[in-house]
Amino acid sequence: MTPNEIAGLMLGIFAVLIVVRVPVAFALGVACVPVFFLDDRLSPVLLITEMHKSYNSFVLLAVPFFILAANLMNSSGITQRLVELSRAMVGHFRGGLGHVGVVVSMIFAGISGSSTAEAAGIGSLLIPAMKKQGYDSSFTVALIACSSVIGVIIPPSILMVVWGGIMSVSIGALFLAGFLPGIMIGLSLMTCVYVYARRRGYPVYTRASIMEFLRALGRASFALLAPAIVVGGVIFGVATPTEASVLAVLYTLVVGVLVYRSIGLRALPGVFYETARLASISLFCIGTASAFGWLLAFYRIPTAIMKALAPYATSVTAVGMIVAGVFLVVGCFIDAIPAMIIFGNLMLPLAERVHMHPVHFAIIGVVSLAFGLVTPPYGLCLLISCTIGQIKVVDCIRDVGILLIAMLLMLAFVIFFPNAILFVPRLIMPKFV
Amino acid sequence: MRRLIEAYVRLLRVLLTVLICLLVIPVTLQIVARYTELIPRYIWTEEAARFLFIWIIMIGATIAVRERTHFDVDVLPRPSTPRAKAVSQLIVDAAILVIAAVFVVYGWGYAAFGYAQTSELTGINMLAMHVAFFLAGVTWVIFIAERSLSALAVIIGGGDDAE
């Protein structure tokens, strides 16, 4: 069989299995199996060895730790304190609670690297509150889902850690480059909230006094120190990303158990179990995705794709649009990490061909894959928000679409202005960029 | 039989919780050792982390098969009748069974290959890690066999005695 036929076979099997609702992780693995038998040079044991090899990456250890830190923040009431602080900051804008949702997502993003934990934590606090104040359910759910996307764009970020690990890019540089797009997406969402609030007459809070603001700031102060430790640790080379993720866990544990005393020792095993359960589902999928990606690389499919797309890959902008387009489409159907393992490597030759900066390539990839968290049918953050808001995905699809347009404009900015994205990393980490 | 499987799942849940708590330790020791003189720089921490990590992933993935929490995609509408549900579950389980079969058949050889190796860092036998794939495969076969039987009962019995 020619490499093209092999690729067609694998993607065909994968697509069929996905349609009949086989879990993505298993569909990726099953798609590899016939190829292992067809080629005399290969054996199914490669599925196991490639999976095991992918789990041997020390960087991946950061995935469960970042999810654990976020879950600890949620169960220790740190998230609640951040909500109160955000309310004191932006509650008096028109559409107050909507702005609070976006701002608290941005602050939460600075501590946690997981968008799904963010959607669950912030959603369970704000979605009921917003509905009570008369916000439409569909807008509420769409807004919380879209805001939680910022979780993996503002550092720390699980997606950036994994991307840096598999593509050998400085994770510190990626973290620094994530600030600007993350803040821009936050501001674009706040603009949308303002327009919605004007047209639909959403309520406002009275402006918090300076004293109230300071009190809220004081109550959240321990939580606000965390980003400095975690992000600062990685950027200044004090800790590896994995170590930084453990520091985040230890810090939230100490704050939750000893300082705030808001989380009992009895509740801890439950939090740990939930984290392990969720993390291992994503991690298992990383294994089969790695085997799938390895097989595609074995048949030199990335080179074939590069040759096929070469005529369109005329400039950094053109390649940026291709990369974003592929990830946006793929992100509708599979999780961000397997998507990046399989398709990131497929598109790397294209990016190198036009001398796209590796950090720029990574940020385009991470931002477009992050949008996949709210695009159906497979948008985890949207699914989580819908569950909390007790509405169906189809019922909020229109509002998600509207918010997504604003976010896509920010993605276009990322594609068109690499120098703006690279400005902060160049300023602080010139050696690595 | 069902009771036995339930007890086994509970054991797996407890193991998973214990392992993730343990996982925090080696990485913490690494940081402490680097920045303080309190403890020496243990050489086993990285390997311990890898060992715990592989078991967490495999046990977690096993529990997720039992609880049907592996992520799937809603392209088609969800089946509504008990019989359609049972058929759909059988199809999904057949695909999972393919991976389970690979893990059982080829995981055995992989475990044997691990048994022949000893870690240079810590001296533990590599079987301790390699066998995780084989055991995950065996466990999936058990879980799927149990529920395929009840799914078949639903299909044959006309869907009246659904769970």
Side-chain angles (χ1 to χ4, degrees):
Chain A
M1 285 175 94
T2 66
N4 286 348
E5 286 166 5
I6 300 252
L9 177 70
M10 289 171 67
L11 291 172
I13 296 176
F14 174 68
V16 170
L17 291 177
I18 286 299
V19 170
V20 297
R21 224 187 289 279
V22 171
V24 177
F26 288 91
L28 286 168
V30 175
C32 300
V33 173
V35 184
F36 285 134
F37 282 110
L38 283 171
D39 195 322
D40 290 338
R41 294 168 296 173
L42 303 172
S43 147
V45 77
L46 282 164
L47 177 67
I48 299 176
T49 49
E50 285 307 314
M51 286 181 79
H52 197 168
K53 219 191 278 171
S54 69
Y55 301 148
N56 262 331
S57 138
F58 202 66
V59 156
L60 276 190
L61 276 172
V63 174
F65 290 137
F66 275 132
I67 298 179
L68 182 55
N71 285 343
L72 285 169
M73 281 172 61
N74 290 338
S75 52
S76 66
I78 292 180
T79 312
Q80 173 72 41
R81 288 165 194 254
L82 294 179
V83 167
E84 284 157 18
L85 173 66
S86 309
R87 198 190 125 173
M89 286 163 71
V90 293
H92 57 281
F93 293 172
R94 185 161 286 280
L97 214 42
H99 295 289
V100 171
V102 180
V103 170
V104 79
S105 294
M106 289 160 74
I107 304 176
F108 194 110
I111 309 171
S112 129
S114 157
S115 278
T116 42
E118 188 166 328
I122 297 175
S124 58
L125 290 175
L126 284 185
I127 290 177
M130 285 175 74
K131 279 165 81 170
K132 212 165 160 187
Q133 286 195 2
Y135 290 79
D136 302 81
S137 295
S138 70
F139 171 71
T140 305
V141 166
L143 179 72
I144 295 300
C146 289
S147 311
S148 65
V149 162
I150 303 172
V152 287
I153 299 176
I154 290 185
S157 151
I158 288 178
L159 294 191
M160 290 178 190
V161 168
V162 176
W163 186 293
I166 55 177
M167 304 277 206
S168 304
V169 188
S170 156
I171 293 168
L174 293 184
F175 277 10
L176 287 170
F179 279 111
L180 181 68
I183 292 169
M184 285 174 54
I185 289 170
L187 292 177
S188 73
L189 287 175
M190 286 174 77
T191 313
C192 294
V193 172
Y194 182 79
V195 175
Y196 264 96
R198 274 245 102 121
R199 298 183 59 164
R200 298 189 180 174
Y202 289 149
V204 294
Y205 285 107
T206 46
R207 185 190 284 269
S209 69
I210 292 290
M211 276 319 289
E212 279 167 332
F213 171 72
L214 289 179
R215 206 174 302 133
L217 191 66
R219 279 174 54 78
S221 56
F222 277 106
L224 293 175
L225 267 178
I229 298 172
V230 177
V231 180
V234 174
I235 290 172
F236 297 106
V238 181
T240 65
T242 309
E243 291 171 352
S245 64
V246 173
L247 286 178
V249 169
L250 296 175
Y251 185 83
T252 37
L253 259 182
V254 169
V255 171
V257 175
L258 299 177
V259 182
Y260 292 161
R261 293 172 192 246
S262 46
I263 180 167
L265 288 175
R266 286 210 178 161
L268 281 181
V271 179
F272 276 78
Y273 172 73
E274 270 310 305
T275 303
R277 205 179 60 81
L278 192 69
S280 57
I281 291 172
S282 324
L283 289 163
F284 181 74
C285 195
I286 292 178
T288 49
S290 301
F292 191 92
W294 178 85
L295 208 49
L296 290 181
F298 180 81
Y299 288 104
R300 301 183 191 285
I301 313 285
T303 325
I305 289 189
M306 192 201 77
K307 280 199 186 123
L309 288 176
Y312 309 100
T314 45
S315 65
V316 170
T317 309
V319 171
M321 305 229 280
I322 294 174
V323 171
V326 168
F327 278 141
L328 285 171
V329 172
V330 171
C332 292
F333 299 98
I334 61 178
D335 204 11
I337 297 178
M340 110 185 4
I341 291 174
I342 297 169
F343 292 90
N345 281 316
L346 283 181
M347 285 181 296
L348 184 62
L350 271 186
E352 283 172 344
R353 202 179 119 95
V354 293
H355 304 292
M356 180 183 264
H357 196 289
V359 172
H360 187 213
F361 178 45
I363 295 296
I364 295 175
V366 167
V367 173
S368 1
L369 283 171
F371 290 2
L373 290 163
V374 292
T375 48
Y378 184 80
L380 278 183
C381 289
L382 185 61
L383 295 178
I384 293 170
S385 303
C386 282
T387 312
I388 299 172
Q390 291 165 336
I391 61 170
K392 286 195 199 132
V393 172
V394 282
D395 294 331
C396 63
I397 213 71
R398 194 170 150 265
D399 287 318
V400 171
I402 292 170
L403 295 177
L404 209 52
I405 290 172
M407 291 158 73
L408 284 171
L409 288 176
M410 300 301 121
L411 175 61
F413 177 89
V414 172
I415 295 171
F416 282 100
F417 300 101
N419 287 327
I421 299 305
L422 295 170
F423 177 75
V424 183
R426 277 186 180 139
L427 194 70
I428 299 178
M429 298 178 74
K431 293 191 295 248
F432 292 102
V433 185
Chain B
M1 191 61 196
R2 161 154 274 160
R3 275 222 189 124
L4 209 62
I5 294 178
E6 282 299 327
Y8 179 45
V9 176
R10 263 202 301 281
L11 172 74
L12 289 178
R13 287 193 188 122
V14 173
L15 269 178
L16 185 64
T17 314
V18 172
L19 290 179
I20 187 130
C21 294
L22 289 178
L23 185 63
V24 180
I25 297 171
V27 189
T28 310
L29 287 181
Q30 260 182 358
I31 310 173
V32 176
R34 176 134 33 96
Y35 291 104
T36 69
E37 303 286 321
L38 293 174
I39 51 168
R41 292 192 183 190
Y42 297 115
I43 203 161
W44 53 265
T45 50
E46 183 155 343
E47 187 139 322
R50 284 177 208 280
F51 169 82
L52 294 168
F53 196 49
I54 185 99
W55 279 100
I56 288 170
I57 298 170
M58 283 302 152
I59 294 177
T62 305
I63 295 176
V65 165
R66 175 79 184 169
E67 295 176 344
R68 296 192 184 277
T69 42
H70 277 290
F71 301 136
D72 53 19
V73 183
D74 276 330
V75 183
L76 296 178
R78 296 222 167 242
S80 49
T81 66
R83 188 176 270 184
K85 248 181 220 160
V87 171
S88 147
Q89 286 180 1
L90 277 182
I91 296 172
V92 170
D93 282 347
I96 297 177
L97 207 54
V98 172
I99 302 297
V102 171
F103 276 24
V104 171
V105 176
Y106 295 88
W108 180 254
Y110 190 64
F113 170 68
Y115 183 63
Q117 292 172 300
T118 316
S119 157
E120 286 175 17
L121 281 176
T122 52
I124 58 167
N125 190 292
M126 294 303 278
L127 178 69
M129 286 191 216
H130 284 216
V131 79
F133 292 89
F134 174 74
L135 289 181
V138 171
T139 310
W140 285 334
V141 172
I142 297 171
F143 288 170
I144 290 173
E146 188 215 5
R147 69 183 180 212
S148 295
L149 285 180
S150 36
L152 278 175
V154 171
I155 294 169
I156 296 165
D160 300 327
D161 51 350
E163 289 176 64

